[in-house]
């Protein structure tokens, strides 16, 4: 496995190591260049920028080799664009990483001069650049042992850039600001790893076993096996796993970080279908491999819990993960089967490919019975229909609580992990009434994401609840400056921000 990118902070006056990266704003003021370099060096850089038509726009860079008057082999001038906002700063750090990494050398020095910081402090600026660079440095290369070179011979996979030193006015303060971001990156990388892992390696039992590692971060880890799930009467969840050789699991992750003993638990629930063939209502072959990512919601909950614990968030939080594999076999559930969920409500399973909601029905019920939480947010790669509605830019948000929905929307805007609230209404709910049982697990051709959400809502008592349909955002995600990965780790930053901005201050 490649070592993770090392990030260090150093004063602006330190001698640079490796490739030197300077930032330039849209006005080409060369904020960082103004400091520390003599007139001759500045002149040479301006000349090079002019020759390359470099205007300091975001997502542009030029390389200057052996620049006159500077003691470096390679210098990169990277555009910041105009007044970079939070997400722009992350994207800028990610872009800078990619620019450096595409070239030779295993170390680089990025000069984060406050003149380029825009609206925030130099510490925040440096920490955000570092965070963006770190997120971009992720690679899932576990199974790529060798890689062909241009002449067809094989070579070891290159490690590329190993270390970035970020120069800023107050390195200690920047390092402190970076620590919580690093915790979030750890959580996102865990989520990405889990989603990218193929299903032959990561089944329900393996996923659950990996969660034991979280104990090292101070998380209480509990794994419920099939006997325990049986005793709890989680028949809807168990029904999904019946066709698989691999047993189902539920994982309970608890983080106790609240100062007050009375603090109510924040609850996060994730769909963890380690592979979704559709079951007897089997999916077509084309693209089915993507269904190794049908545990993206569960991966996000795991990553979020790791982030909260690592940065010692001042809240009590519980992550509940339902793990199954949806396979066709002689023991699989059939269309038309009726199961009695833990809540006592009966479900007619008309399509075994609508399995996520079955599993969530029981985990949501269990979450409320056991924890009486302040709120529940569930994440699930629940419907293909959410991709039709929103594509890959926004996750679908469904909620019974305007305040929680507004908090999520605000956290989405701040982090760039955006959510779009979808309607819920009685008329949609009626579509899942069944003639033979209390409800059926599909609602017909229309509004598939909404009827799925209504199905979940039938297992919510009066707890404030939000459901995020992440089928478009958790896997096969749009690559960008901070996400080079198929499994995006989407939702970790969003929910960490929801917690930080609304639930870590004293009782509200
Ligand atoms: N895991 C799928 C949803 C999905 C589709 C996630 C595409 C990511 C990409 C889910 O279990 C499913 O199969 N949903 C069905 C529901 C239908 C049978 C009512 C769907 O979306 O087709
Ligand atoms: Mn399915
Ligand atoms: Zn599924």
């Amino acid at each position: 496995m490649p070592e993770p990118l090392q990030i260090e902070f150093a004063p602006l006056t330190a001698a640079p190591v490796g490739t030197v990266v300077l930032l330039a704003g849209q006005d080409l003021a060369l904020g960082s260049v103004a400091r520390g370099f003599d007139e001759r060096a500045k002149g040479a850089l301006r000349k090079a920028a002019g020759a390359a038509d470099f205007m300091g726009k975001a997502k542009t860079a030029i390389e200057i080799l052996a620049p006159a008057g500077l003691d470096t082999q390679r210098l990169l001038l990277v555009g910041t664009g105009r007044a970079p906002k939070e997400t722009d700063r992350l994207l800028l750090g990610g872009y800078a990483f990619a620019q450096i990494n595409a070239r030779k050398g295993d170390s680089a020095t990025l000069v984060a001069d406050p003149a380029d910081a825009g609206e925030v402090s130099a510490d925040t600026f440096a920490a955000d650049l570092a965070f963006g660079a770190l997120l971009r440095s992720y690679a899932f290369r576990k199974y790529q042992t060798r890689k062909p070179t241009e002449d067809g011979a094989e070579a070891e996979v290159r490690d590329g850039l190993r270390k970035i030193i970020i120069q800023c006015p107050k390195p200690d303060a920047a390092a402190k600001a970076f620590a919580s971001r690093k915790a979030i990156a750890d959580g996102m990388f865990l989520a990405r790893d889990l989603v990218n892992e193929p299903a032959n390696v990561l089944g329900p039992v393996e996923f659950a076993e990996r969660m034991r590692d979280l104990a090292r971060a101070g998380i209480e880890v509990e794994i419920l096996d099939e006997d325990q799930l049986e005793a709890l009467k989680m028949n809807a969840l168990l029904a999904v796993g019946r066709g698989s050789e691999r047993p189902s699991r539920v994982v309970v992750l608890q983080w106790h970080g609240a100062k007050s003993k009375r603090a109510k638990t924040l609850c996060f629930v994730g769909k963890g279908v380690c592979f979704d063939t559709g079951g007897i209502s089997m999916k077509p072959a084309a693209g089915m491999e993507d269904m190794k990512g049908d545990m993206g919601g569960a991966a996000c909950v795991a990553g979020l819990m790791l982030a909260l614990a690592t940065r010692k968030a001042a809240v009590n939080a519980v992550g509940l993960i339902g793990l199954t594999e949806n396979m066709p076999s002689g023991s699989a559930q059939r269309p038309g089967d009726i199961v009695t969920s833990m809540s006592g409500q009966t479900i007619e399973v008309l399509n075994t490919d609508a399995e996520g909601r079955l599993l969530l029905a029981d985990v949501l019920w269990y979450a409320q019975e056991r924890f009486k939480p302040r709120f529940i947010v569930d994440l699930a790669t629940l419907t293909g229909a959410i991709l039709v509605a929103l594509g890959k830019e926004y996750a679908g948000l469904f909620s019974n609580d305007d305040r929680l929905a507004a908090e999520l929307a605000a956290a989405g805007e701040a982090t760039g992990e955006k959510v779009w609230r979808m309607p819920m209404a009685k008329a949609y709910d009626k579509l899942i009434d069944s003639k033979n049982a209390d409800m059926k697990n599909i609602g017909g051709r229309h509004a598939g994401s909404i009827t799925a959400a209504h199905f979940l809502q039938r297992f919510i008592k009066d707890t404030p609840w939000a459901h995020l349909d992440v089928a478009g955002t958790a896997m096969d995600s749009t690559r960008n400056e901070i996400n080079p990965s198929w499994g995006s780790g989407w939702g970790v930053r969003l929910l960490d921000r929801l917690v930080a901005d609304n639930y870590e201050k004293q009782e509200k």
Side-chain angles (χ1 to χ4, degrees), residues 271 273 276 291 294 353 355-356 381-382:
K271 168 181 173 182
V273 176
D276 181 13
M291 288 302 119
D294 207 20
D353 197 11
E355 84 296 342
T381 49
L382 203 63

Side-chain angles (χ1 to χ4, degrees), residues 104-450:
K104 253 177 67 176
D106 63 2
S107 56
T109 303
L110 192 160
V111 182
D113 192 287
D116 300 312
E119 59 182 7
V120 291
S121 75
D123 310 332
T124 301
F125 184 53
D128 279 345
L129 291 174
F131 189 27
L134 181 58
L135 293 178
R136 180 60 178 269
S137 75
Y138 175 89
F140 185 73
R141 291 196 307 216
K142 212 176 159 182
Y143 301 104
Q144 287 176 311
T145 59
R146 312 220 126 214
K147 172 169 138 186
T149 55
E150 273 162 49
D151 61 4
E154 289 198 333
E156 296 279 315
V157 172
R158 193 173 70 91
D159 258 349
L161 181 59
R162 306 270 292 278
K163 180 171 170 179
I164 293 190
I165 299 155
I166 303 200
Q167 291 191 349
C168 53
K170 289 187 271 170
D172 290 346
K176 202 168 161 229
F178 179 61
S180 58
R181 290 163 174 79
K182 170 74 166 61
I184 299 168
D186 287 348
M188 288 175 73
F189 285 10
L190 171 63
R192 287 175 179 180
D193 279 346
L194 290 167
V195 173
N196 288 329
E197 197 70 71
N200 61 326
V201 176
L202 194 81
V205 173
E206 293 81 7
F207 190 126
E209 287 305 317
R210 278 205 196 181
M211 295 299 99
R212 294 200 193 277
D213 292 349
L214 298 182
R216 263 185 281 165
I219 292 172
E220 197 182 313
V221 182
E222 208 179 316
I223 299 176
L224 307 180
D225 66 17
E226 287 206 335
D227 288 343
Q228 290 164 296
L229 301 177
E230 210 82 65
L232 285 164
K233 300 198 172 73
M234 291 209 195
N235 299 318
L237 180 144
L238 286 165
V240 176
R242 294 253 188 258
S244 173
E245 300 271 330
R246 305 156 115 182
S248 300
R249 293 285 185 266
V250 168
V251 181
V252 183
L253 303 170
Q254 293 187 70
W255 165 246
H256 308 282
K259 305 250 162 20
S260 147
K261 282 229 161 17
R262 291 175 303 123
K264 279 180 116 185
T265 301
L266 314 182
C267 181
F268 302 94
V269 171
K271 168 181 173 182
V273 176
C274 292
F275 196 81
D276 181 13
T277 63
I280 296 299
S281 315
M282 209 193 295
K283 290 182 181 294
M288 201 204 274
E289 65 276 12
D290 282 0
M291 288 302 119
K292 73 171 186 178
D294 207 20
M295 25 58 71
C300 174
V301 170
L304 172 71
M305 293 303 293
L306 177 60
L308 293 175
T310 305
R311 69 170 184 77
K312 306 225 178 312
V315 291
N316 291 340
V318 55
L320 289 156
I321 294 174
L323 295 162
T324 61
E325 181 176 55
N326 189 19
M327 298 289 273
S329 82
S331 60
Q333 67 173 335
R334 293 149 291 258
D337 284 3
I338 295 176
V339 295
T340 304
S341 66
M342 182 183 176
S343 73
Q345 298 177 94
T346 57
I347 305 163
E348 185 179 22
V349 180
L350 290 182
N351 189 319
T352 64
D353 197 11
E355 84 296 342
R357 63 197 75 181
L358 297 177
L359 157 177
L360 288 170
D362 281 343
V363 181
L364 289 170
W365 191 262
Y366 178 68
Q368 296 163 97
E369 293 276 287
R370 178 164 168 195
F371 294 102
K372 314 251 175 308
R374 172 126 181 226
F375 67 65
I376 299 180
V377 176
D378 78 71
L379 297 104
T381 49
L382 203 63
T383 66
I386 202 67
L387 273 143
V388 177
L390 300 175
K392 291 167 181 262
E393 299 312 309
Y394 284 76
L397 162 64
F398 302 81
S399 184
N400 63 2
D401 188 271
D402 289 345
R403 181 170 132 186
L404 180 58
E407 289 168 354
L408 280 162
E413 288 307 316
T415 56
E417 293 189 340
K418 293 186 281 193
V419 298
W420 193 264
R421 190 168 183 187
M422 303 282 285
M424 298 192 76
K426 259 217 174 75
Y428 292 116
D429 185 78
K430 262 179 52 181
L431 299 175
I432 52 169
D433 284 340
S434 158
K435 288 199 191 75
N436 301 311
D438 295 335
M439 70 195 87
K440 53 189 180 183
N441 75 331
I442 51 171
R445 259 169 52 77
H446 297 150
S449 304
I450 303 176

